[in-house]
């Protein structure tokens, strides 16, 4: 059976780059597509438009659609049991709702999410993507998931507890940087499950140890033989890629590191995906973030944020990751979209630098190739001569004595 990938020019802000070339976790979307097709035994063929589609059955998808191997595998299995043209649909779930905002996904009458992955039997010609959407019958896939409850701050009248799902069946139309971030976060479980499937004996040994109350943390880690991990580092439920370096006293939990990632000493990573050649500087604390190749990250605390290629995040740059009143809004195609959540960080475009004393509002994105610095008037650039014991203040970058409040003013 053949799969036909149709090229699009869909560009995702702020990266100004085609969706297919942007990263979800540790590999670009096009690689996720190619790996899924190969695992399902599909011969992948590139075409530029629907006019090039041959008169033969096959799977058709557009290159701005993300999907995992398990999602494609079960869809192609269903396609073999029907005689009509079908579209992949997923039931209403937390995973589908998480990537719904700005995703331009059609909804079925039953609340299902219908994606632009099609299995064609008729061999008829289609003139547009919209015609495919209208003609193909939605085929809802069975959702296999594991519910997980996590605790979040309960300000803003929130419940304090949030129900999420772990699933290997993910599909999304990639239209916004939030989709890349959330897919990367959910892909941690996908990549771990894939690693277990490649080594089924680990599953048996993990269950055996759990049954007899023996620790099995080492069986839930996948560390490449070429990686260098310091003996004092603590790693749990994580994948450490080829030639990675993990420094002393670092803590890595539920994260995926691509090849040649360098993690400094006393670093804490939680729920992160770092693509190849990412460097995390010492004592950084990073949670639920995703970074594309070559990023340099140094932060006392950053959460729920996305970093493009070759980004430099300095230690004293701040990205707000919560809204104390109301919900976070994101910018998309000239409009603000309500995410209906109080929690989200920001995004930094390729090759940009976020300098010290800068603060990015939750839900905002820095464009590519810029340097953002703090107000220079707050930086001491001229010191001068001053007597000992005097109290000094910075004004317009100059250190000057702080004037005592006058008695006449009553202050």
């Amino acid at each position: 059976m053949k799969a036909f990938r149709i090229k699009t020019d869909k560009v995702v802000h702020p990266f100004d780059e085609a969706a297919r070339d942007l990263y979800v976790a540790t590999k670009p979307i096009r690689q996720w597509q190619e790996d899924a097709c190969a695992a399902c035994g599909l011969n992948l063929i590139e075409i530029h438009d629907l006019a090039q589609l041959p008169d033969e059955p096959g799977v058709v998808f557009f290159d701005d659609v993300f999907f995992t191997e398990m999602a494609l595998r079960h869809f192609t299995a269903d396609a073999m049991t029907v005689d009509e043209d079908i579209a992949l649909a997923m039931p209403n779930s937390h995973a589908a709702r998480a990537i719904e905002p700005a995703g331009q996904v059609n909804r079925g009458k039953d609340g299902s999410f219908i994606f632009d992955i099609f299995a064609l039997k008729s061999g008829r010609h289609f003139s547009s993507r919209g015609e495919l959407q209208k003609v193909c019958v939605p085929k809802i896939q069975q959702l296999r998931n594991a519910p997980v409850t996590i605790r979040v701050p309960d300000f803003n009248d929130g419940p304090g507890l949030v129900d999420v799902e772990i699933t290997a069946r993910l599909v999304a139309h990639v239209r916004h940087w939030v989709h890349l971030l959330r897919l990367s976060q959910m892909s941690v479980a996908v990549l771990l499950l894939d690693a277990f499937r490649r080594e089924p004996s680990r599953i048996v040994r993990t269950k055996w140890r759990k049954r007899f109350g023996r620790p099995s943390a080492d069986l839930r880690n996948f560390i490449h033989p070429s990686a260098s991990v310091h003996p004092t580092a603590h790693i749990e439920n994580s994948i450490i890629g080829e030639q990675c370096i993990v420094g002393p006293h670092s803590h890595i939990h539920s994260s995926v590191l691509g090849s040649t990632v360098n993690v400094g000493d006393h670093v804490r990573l939680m729920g992160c995906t770092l693509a190849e050649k990412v460097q995390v500087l010492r004592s950084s604390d990073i949670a639920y973030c995703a970074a594309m190749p070559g990023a340099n990250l140094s932060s006392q605390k950053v959460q729920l944020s996305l970093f493009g290629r070759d980004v430099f995040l300095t230690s004293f740059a701040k990205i707000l990751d919560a809204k104390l009143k109301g919900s976070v809004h994101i910018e998309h195609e000239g409009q603000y979209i309500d995410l209906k959540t109080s929690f989200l960080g920001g995004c930094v475009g390729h090759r940009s630098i976020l300098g010290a004393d800068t603060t990015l509002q939750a839900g905002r994105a820095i464009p590519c190739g810029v340097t953002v610095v703090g107000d220079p008037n707050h930086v001491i650039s001229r010191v001068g001569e001053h007597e000992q014991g005097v109290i000094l203040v910075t004004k317009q970058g100059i250190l000057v004595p702080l004037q005592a409040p006058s008695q006449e003013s009553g202050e």
Side-chain angles (χ1 to χ4, degrees):
M1 193 174 184
K2 294 179 180 178
F4 300 93
R5 178 166 60 186
I6 303 175
K7 185 178 179 181
T8 67
D9 295 319
K10 181 60 66 177
V11 173
V12 178
H13 177 78
F15 302 107
D16 298 326
E17 187 174 356
R20 62 180 172 269
D21 295 322
L22 293 171
Y23 274 62
V24 167
T26 56
K27 55 187 178 181
I29 289 174
R30 53 179 164 76
Q31 189 65 54
W32 282 91
Q33 296 168 343
E34 292 163 9
D35 291 347
C37 288
C40 295
L42 299 176
N43 180 21
L44 181 60
I45 299 174
E46 302 271 2
I47 60 177
H48 286 81
D49 53 55
L50 286 169
Q52 296 180 314
L53 199 62
D55 293 333
E56 60 180 285
V59 173
V60 177
F61 62 89
F62 294 82
D63 66 0
D64 57 356
V65 182
F66 173 88
F67 51 86
T68 59
E69 173 193 334
M70 296 304 293
L72 182 64
R73 182 181 296 278
H74 289 272
F75 178 64
T76 54
D78 286 343
M80 296 179 183
T81 64
V82 298
D83 295 323
E84 56 188 353
D85 297 336
I86 61 174
L88 188 152
M90 298 297 291
N92 192 337
S93 66
H94 173 272
R97 293 191 300 272
I99 51 180
E100 179 184 17
Q104 300 173 349
V105 180
N106 292 327
R107 298 291 296 271
K109 294 180 180 179
D110 55 0
S112 61
F113 293 73
I114 308 170
F115 297 96
D116 291 350
I117 304 177
F118 311 96
L120 306 182
K121 293 293 184 72
S122 63
R124 82 178 256 191
H125 285 289
F126 294 89
S127 60
S128 67
R129 190 168 182 167
E131 185 182 0
L132 272 169
Q133 294 169 346
K134 290 179 180 179
V135 171
C136 294
V137 178
K139 183 67 174 178
I140 302 176
Q141 304 301 296
Q142 182 182 5
L143 183 65
R144 295 285 299 275
N145 63 342
V148 176
T149 300
I150 60 174
R151 182 173 294 279
V152 298
D154 56 3
F155 63 81
N156 204 4
D157 299 325
L161 297 174
V162 175
D163 294 327
V164 298
E165 298 167 348
I166 296 176
T167 179
R169 304 181 187 185
L170 295 176
V171 190
H173 294 167
V174 178
R175 301 286 185 271
H176 196 275
W177 65 263
V178 167
H179 302 149
L180 297 169
L181 174 62
R182 290 185 167 173
L183 287 169
S184 294
Q185 292 166 341
M186 291 187 285
S187 293
V188 172
V190 175
L191 293 169
L192 280 168
L193 289 170
D194 286 346
F196 269 112
R197 287 194 296 116
R198 289 192 293 269
E199 298 184 42
S201 63
R202 285 201 189 214
I203 301 176
V204 176
R205 285 183 288 163
T206 300
K207 290 182 177 180
W208 183 86
R209 288 192 183 185
K210 183 177 180 180
R211 180 179 178 183
F212 291 98
R214 297 183 180 181
S216 59
D218 58 319
L219 293 176
R220 298 195 298 269
N221 293 324
F222 297 85
I223 302 175
H224 194 276
S226 65
S228 175
V229 178
H230 195 275
T232 61
H234 176 76
I235 301 175
E236 186 173 350
N237 293 340
S238 296
I239 299 174
I240 310 299
E242 184 177 355
Q243 296 182 357
C244 285
I245 298 175
V246 179
H249 304 288
S250 290
H251 177 89
I252 301 176
H253 187 280
S254 300
S255 297
V256 179
L257 278 56
S259 62
T260 63
V261 171
N262 191 326
V263 176
D265 61 279
H266 294 85
V267 166
R268 294 201 303 169
L269 295 177
M270 174 67 182
C272 293
T273 61
L274 308 179
E276 65 265 23
K277 298 181 181 179
V278 169
Q279 183 173 9
V280 184
L281 303 186
R282 67 185 307 272
S283 301
S284 294
D285 191 340
I286 302 175
Y288 304 108
C289 292
M292 298 186 199
N296 284 268
L297 307 180
S298 177
S299 179
Q300 295 177 335
K301 185 67 174 182
V302 62
Q303 299 186 119
L304 303 166
S305 297
L306 176 66
F307 303 98
R309 293 185 181 90
D310 301 316
V311 159
F312 199 110
L313 178 70
T314 60
S315 298
F316 296 101
K318 296 183 288 292
I319 300 179
L320 303 182
D321 54 38
K323 194 170 183 182
L324 299 181
K325 292 293 182 181
S327 54
V328 177
H329 289 64
I330 57 172
E331 296 178 282
H332 182 62
E333 297 180 351
Q335 297 180 331
Y336 285 95
I337 297 176
D338 187 353
L339 288 185
K340 303 186 186 305
T341 178
S342 300
F343 303 101
L344 180 67
C347 174
V348 182
H350 300 322
R351 303 174 303 282
S352 286
I353 300 172
L354 203 57
D357 198 26
T358 56
T359 303
L360 180 64
Q361 181 177 328
R364 299 297 180 261
I366 299 295
C368 295
V370 300
T371 299
V372 184
V373 298
D375 188 344
N377 289 327
H378 298 163
V379 179
I380 300 170
S381 58
R382 292 176 57 186
V383 178
E385 298 291 336
H386 301 280
E387 296 180 0
Q388 294 186 27
V390 69
I391 299 176
L392 304 174
V393 65
T394 306
K395 289 186 177 181
Q396 302 296 315
I398 305 172
L399 272 185
V400 298
L402 176 66
Q403 298 295 326
S406 66
Q407 293 180 353
E408 295 180 358
S409 66
E411 295 179 346

